[in-house]
Amino acid sequence: MKTLSLIAQKGGTGKTTLAIHLAVQAQRDGLEVLLVDTDPQGSAGAWWQRRGAEEPALVQGSGTEMAGILAAAGARGFELVIVDTAPHSSEQSHACARASDAVLIPTRPAILDLDAIGATTALVADLSVPAEIVLNACPPPTRAQEPRIVAEAREALSAYAVPVCPVAVSHRVAYSHALIDGRAVVELEAKGKAAAEIDALWRTLRERVAL
Ligand SMILES: Nc1ncnc2c1ncn2[C@@H]1O[C@H](COP(=O)(O)OP(=O)(O)OP(=O)(O)O)[C@@H](O)[C@H]1O
Ligand SMILES: [Mg+2]
């Protein structure tokens, strides 16, 4: 069993959106997936309630309960655990990251988000857990070329020890539309651009983290 945590000290960077989408994608890929909602706001839990389906499975808990949650998940035969975390809670995020096999740090490409990322990369600096930054809610590429703001964000992020994922996730209304009724973008529009990006992100993570 492997565990992937999504952490970012800044709010609204896409932790929940990406945790949900990666969970659905991994499940479609044939894995037994458990989504763990450790955010007291319970956004992933609310999505799961709206979804009304058994899969991917979801439990709520806290970062400090992670050892017990993971032991129970292993005993139940889950192959992948994806942990959604709360913003502004370094202790809880650190506990989740420490218990994980890999950490994904979503950030928007805007300067205020990039300025804030040091607080998150510092959380994983003392851990031997591989981490990767993913740019989320980016302007969509034009003719397969990355927009300037995305290229600039990559350059700014090269100052940190944490690598940046080659796949950037675009800002697309499909994400909010899908989440409204408990779906993921691939279930809304299987051949859409958002679904293709999530598939690319999942395949990249799967390889890098040997998920
Ligand atoms: N790629 C995207 N395209 C369009 N909208 C997005 C995208 N990613 C996130 N959003 C929207 O941005 C908002 C914040 O996203 P989300 O809740 O996933 O962030 P978060 O990091 O989990 O926030 P919090 O820190 O409050 O838990 C939501 O309304 C979500 O629908
Ligand atoms: Mg969230």
Side-chain angles (χ1 to χ4, degrees):
M1 187 182 80
K2 299 277 183 172
T3 304
L4 171 73
S5 282
L6 284 93
I7 70 167
Q9 288 298 285
K10 193 162 190 333
T13 62
K15 296 177 286 296
T16 303
T17 301
L18 296 183
I20 285 171
H21 280 88
L22 289 170
V24 170
Q25 200 64 29
Q27 183 217 318
R28 292 172 70 91
D29 208 7
L31 296 183
E32 291 289 335
V33 183
L34 176 67
L35 190 52
V36 182
D37 184 2
T38 67
D39 187 346
Q41 289 180 112
S43 314
W47 168 83
W48 193 79
Q49 292 290 341
R50 291 194 296 276
R51 184 172 179 81
E54 296 286 314
E55 291 179 333
L58 181 137
V59 291
Q60 276 163 318
S62 73
T64 36
E65 293 165 342
M66 204 48 68
I69 292 171
L70 295 182
R76 283 173 62 192
F78 286 106
E79 295 165 287
L80 175 66
V81 177
I82 296 185
V83 184
D84 183 27
T85 65
H88 318 299
S89 173
S90 50
E91 210 174 295
Q92 294 288 324
S93 307
H94 189 262
C96 292
R98 202 175 47 220
S100 298
D101 296 287
V103 168
L104 190 63
I105 303 174
T107 180
R108 288 173 183 254
I111 187 68
L112 296 180
D113 291 83
L114 300 177
D115 284 346
I117 206 155
T120 307
T121 56
L123 278 183
V124 294
D126 68 328
L127 302 175
S128 54
V129 179
E132 194 153 288
I133 295 169
V134 61
L135 287 159
N136 179 40
C138 298
T142 47
R143 277 177 270 113
Q145 208 178 0
E146 231 173 27
R148 195 159 147 208
I149 190 176
V150 180
E152 285 171 356
R154 287 192 188 282
E155 200 179 320
L157 289 169
S158 67
Y160 296 91
V162 180
V164 182
C165 182
V167 178
V169 178
S170 301
H171 187 280
R172 299 187 193 277
V173 286
Y175 290 102
S176 9
H177 280 167
L179 298 187
I180 288 170
D181 57 359
R183 284 186 286 176
V185 289
V186 67
E187 295 159 338
L188 188 75
E189 209 184 343
K191 300 221 178 303
K193 289 176 178 169
E197 282 177 355
I198 292 297
D199 183 49
L201 177 64
W202 162 243
R203 280 188 282 111
T204 305
L205 289 175
R206 193 182 54 188
E207 262 175 44
R208 288 187 183 228
V209 189
L211 293 172

Coordinates of all heavy atoms in Angstrom, one line a residue, residues 3 30 37 41 50 61 78 105 107-108 158 175-176 191:
T3 N 0.9 5.6 0.1 CA 0.2 6.8 0.6 C 0.7 8.1 0.0 O 1.9 8.3 0.0 CB 0.3 6.9 2.2 OG1 -0.2 5.6 2.7 CG2 -0.6 8.0 2.7
G30 N -7.7 0.8 -11.8 CA -7.8 -0.6 -11.2 C -7.4 -0.7 -9.8 O -7.3 -1.8 -9.2
D37 N -10.0 12.3 4.3 CA -10.3 13.7 4.5 C -9.8 14.1 5.9 O -10.5 13.8 6.9 CB -11.8 14.0 4.3 CG -12.1 15.5 4.3 OD1 -11.2 16.3 4.5 OD2 -13.3 15.8 4.2
Q41 N -12.9 21.2 7.5 CA -13.9 21.8 6.6 C -14.7 20.7 6.0 O -15.8 20.9 5.5 CB -13.3 22.6 5.5 CG -12.6 23.9 5.9 CD -12.0 24.6 4.7 OE1 -12.5 25.7 4.3 NE2 -11.0 24.1 4.1
R50 N -22.2 13.6 -1.7 CA -23.0 14.0 -2.9 C -22.8 12.9 -4.0 O -23.7 12.6 -4.8 CB -22.5 15.3 -3.5 CG -22.8 16.5 -2.7 CD -22.6 17.8 -3.5 NE -21.2 18.0 -3.9 CZ -20.3 18.6 -3.2 NH1 -20.5 19.0 -2.0 NH2 -19.0 18.8 -3.7
G61 N -10.6 11.9 9.3 CA -9.7 11.7 10.4 C -8.8 12.9 10.5 O -9.0 13.9 9.9
F78 N -6.6 -1.9 0.9 CA -6.4 -0.8 0.0 C -5.0 -0.8 -0.5 O -4.1 -1.1 0.2 CB -6.7 0.6 0.8 CG -8.2 0.8 1.0 CD1 -8.8 0.6 2.2 CD2 -9.0 1.0 -0.1 CE1 -10.1 0.8 2.5 CE2 -10.4 1.2 0.1 CZ -11.0 1.1 1.4
I105 N 2.4 19.0 -3.7 CA 2.1 20.3 -3.2 C 1.5 21.2 -4.3 O 2.3 21.6 -5.2 CB 3.5 21.0 -2.7 CG1 4.1 20.2 -1.6 CG2 3.2 22.4 -2.2 CD1 5.5 20.7 -1.2
T107 N 0.1 24.4 -6.1 CA 0.1 25.9 -6.0 C -0.4 26.5 -7.3 O -0.4 25.9 -8.3 CB 1.6 26.4 -5.8 OG1 1.5 27.8 -5.7 CG2 2.5 26.0 -7.0
R108 N -1.0 27.6 -7.1 CA -1.4 28.4 -8.3 C -0.2 29.1 -8.8 O 0.7 29.4 -8.0 CB -2.6 29.3 -7.9 CG -3.9 28.6 -7.7 CD -5.0 29.5 -7.1 NE -6.1 28.7 -6.8 CZ -7.3 28.7 -7.6 NH1 -7.4 29.5 -8.6 NH2 -8.3 27.9 -7.2
S158 N 12.1 27.1 -9.2 CA 13.4 26.3 -9.3 C 14.3 26.7 -8.1 O 15.3 26.1 -7.9 CB 14.1 26.6 -10.7 OG 14.4 27.9 -10.8
Y175 N -13.9 21.4 -13.6 CA -13.6 21.0 -12.2 C -14.7 21.3 -11.3 O -15.2 20.5 -10.5 CB -12.2 21.5 -11.7 CG -11.1 20.9 -12.5 CD1 -10.4 21.6 -13.5 CD2 -10.7 19.6 -12.2 CE1 -9.4 21.0 -14.2 CE2 -9.6 19.0 -12.9 CZ -9.0 19.7 -13.9 OH -8.0 19.1 -14.6
S176 N -15.1 22.6 -11.3 CA -16.2 23.0 -10.3 C -17.5 22.3 -10.7 O -18.2 21.9 -9.8 CB -16.3 24.5 -10.2 OG -15.5 25.2 -11.1
K191 N -13.7 12.6 -22.6 CA -12.7 12.9 -23.6 C -12.3 14.4 -23.6 O -11.7 14.9 -24.5 CB -13.2 12.6 -25.0 CG -13.5 11.1 -25.2 CD -13.0 10.6 -26.5 CE -13.3 9.1 -26.7 NZ -12.7 8.2 -25.7

